[in-house]
Amino acid sequence: MKSFKYLAMSAMIGSALVLGACGAQGGAENGGSGEQLSGSVKMDGSSTVAPIMEAVNEEYAATQPDVKVSIGVSGSGGGFEKFIAGETDLSNASRPIKDEEKQKLEEAGIDFTEFEVAKDGLTIVVNKENDWAEDITVEDLQKLWIEDGKTKKWSDINPEWPDEEVKFYSPGTDSGTYDYFNEVVLEEKDMVKQNIQLSEDDNVLVQGVTGDKNGIGFFGYAYYLANKEELKAVKIGGVEPNNETIESGEYTPLSRPLFVYAKNASVKDNEAVYDFMKFTLDNSAEMAEAVGYVSLPEEKIKEATDALEGLK
């Protein structure tokens, strides 16, 4: 199985030659202040957003080697818990912040700003040997994934499909990907409880579906791209996930935005946090594409950059 960092760096060789060669002298050209800084930036959250931030950090380290950036992957929900507790400067999320999380931040006296950094297409995958589930509907997904007290079989969807039990692989309950799937596909109903493995580590889900002919799972588009030789993406209502259908929204309802939430006080008081966030926005389009996501249009990136500047 491919290491995700390996995928990201392999895809970024061209950009690394341009960005990294600038080194410490060229930081301002590619984002950031250009002056040498020291300090730390702490972030946690979505495993879906993490590849973008890891790719950004690989480049940022070439311009600011004395700034130490830590990137945790406890899931969107877990990341917000740390953000609320004041343990992190930035929180990565593959879903919008919930009202109850906003309230807890308000109670903790933490002001924040939401930054969209890329688009993703939550991808439904099956085993390579699965030659029947080529194209399914959201209603089919509901029949499979919503708990109804029965053991699910492929033949429940189509009587011509195998009369075999389906094995499910899902992100854990702290994951924003789980939350998003629960909201837009399951419509807040309980997820199936039998024959299911949940994990906050998307690579565990990849391994599960890869090794199970009757497996079905879901995770971010980039993780599918990293393992597309071992997995098969399922069309949803006749539409396959790719850069064009995700950006246009045709791949509905599984196209979604990816976010970084910044603590306003960290941006204002910690030059390293501001500088890293500016570098992230300035390079988000290139980095998102490099690791398999869909970049935002220039006007949206400019709006985010203006919002960041307003926090100083």
Side-chain angles (χ1 to χ4, degrees):
M1 178 159 310
K2 301 178 181 69
S3 153
F4 204 92
K5 182 173 283 190
Y6 175 79
L7 167 78
M9 293 313 296
S10 295
M12 289 194 303
I13 287 175
S15 64
L17 290 174
V18 176
L19 291 176
C22 297
Q25 301 302 315
E29 293 180 18
N30 302 297
S33 64
E35 63 182 88
Q36 288 303 284
L37 304 172
S38 62
S40 64
V41 180
K42 296 179 180 179
M43 76 180 79
D44 206 308
S46 168
S47 63
T48 303
V49 181
I52 301 174
M53 305 312 292
E54 288 169 357
V56 168
N57 190 37
E58 291 282 353
E59 297 296 335
Y60 186 71
T63 68
Q64 295 288 359
D66 294 328
V67 175
K68 306 305 177 187
V69 180
S70 62
I71 305 172
V73 285
S74 60
S76 296
F80 279 128
E81 288 178 6
K82 294 183 179 182
F83 197 54
I84 292 164
E87 298 174 11
T88 54
D89 304 298
L90 306 173
S91 197
N92 302 327
S94 57
R95 59 157 173 84
I97 189 169
K98 297 178 179 179
D99 288 340
E100 56 263 36
E101 291 163 338
K102 291 180 182 179
Q103 183 177 345
K104 289 179 180 178
L105 283 165
E106 184 177 351
E107 292 170 355
I110 297 173
D111 294 325
F112 67 91
T113 300
E114 176 188 276
F115 296 96
E116 185 178 347
V117 293
K119 294 284 188 186
D120 177 35
L122 192 155
T123 305
I124 309 298
V125 296
V126 295
N127 186 277
K128 276 285 190 180
E129 294 183 35
N130 182 324
D131 59 2
W132 56 91
E134 304 282 345
D135 186 353
I136 60 181
T137 65
V138 171
E139 289 74 21
D140 293 334
L141 290 174
Q142 291 172 340
K143 290 178 184 177
L144 285 175
W145 286 89
I146 292 177
E147 174 60 30
D148 61 6
K150 301 176 183 178
T151 299
K152 304 302 181 79
K153 296 184 177 181
W154 290 109
S155 55
D156 295 338
I157 303 301
N158 186 326
E160 297 181 0
W161 291 2
D163 186 32
E164 297 183 23
E165 293 184 8
V166 182
K167 305 293 180 63
F168 299 92
Y169 297 88
S170 166
T173 56
D174 274 340
S175 167
T177 303
Y178 175 98
D179 289 337
Y180 190 83
F181 188 82
N182 180 258
E183 179 182 347
V184 304
V185 175
L186 306 188
E187 298 177 347
E188 305 292 352
K189 296 181 175 65
D190 290 341
M191 183 177 286
V192 64
K193 293 181 172 61
Q194 298 184 61
N195 294 332
I196 186 167
Q197 178 176 358
L198 292 89
S199 176
E200 305 296 345
D201 185 346
D202 292 319
N203 291 308
V204 171
L205 307 180
V206 170
Q207 290 173 344
V209 178
T210 299
D212 194 333
K213 184 178 179 179
N214 288 304
I216 186 171
F218 62 93
F219 35 71
Y221 180 57
Y223 283 92
Y224 161 67
L225 288 183
N227 299 277
K228 64 181 180 180
E229 300 304 319
E230 290 81 37
L231 296 169
K232 183 169 70 174
V234 178
K235 294 179 182 177
I236 304 300
V239 180
E240 66 177 325
N242 58 44
N243 281 35
E244 290 73 26
T245 61
I246 292 170
E247 183 176 10
S248 69
E250 182 185 0
Y251 183 65
T252 183
L254 299 180
S255 298
R256 59 176 179 165
L258 301 178
F259 303 101
V260 175
Y261 289 83
K263 184 190 297 184
N264 292 355
S266 292
V267 173
K268 183 177 180 180
D269 301 333
N270 185 338
E271 186 65 27
V273 173
Y274 163 78
D275 195 61
F276 178 80
M277 197 63 217
K278 186 173 190 309
F279 189 92
T280 296
L281 295 176
D282 288 345
N283 295 282
S284 61
E286 189 169 15
M287 296 298 99
E289 296 283 350
V291 299
Y293 293 118
V294 178
S295 61
L296 300 178
E298 288 185 14
E299 58 268 24
K300 292 204 72 170
I301 296 175
K302 184 180 185 305
E303 288 175 9
T305 302
D306 290 344
L308 179 69
E309 296 299 326
L311 299 178
K312 288 292 287 178

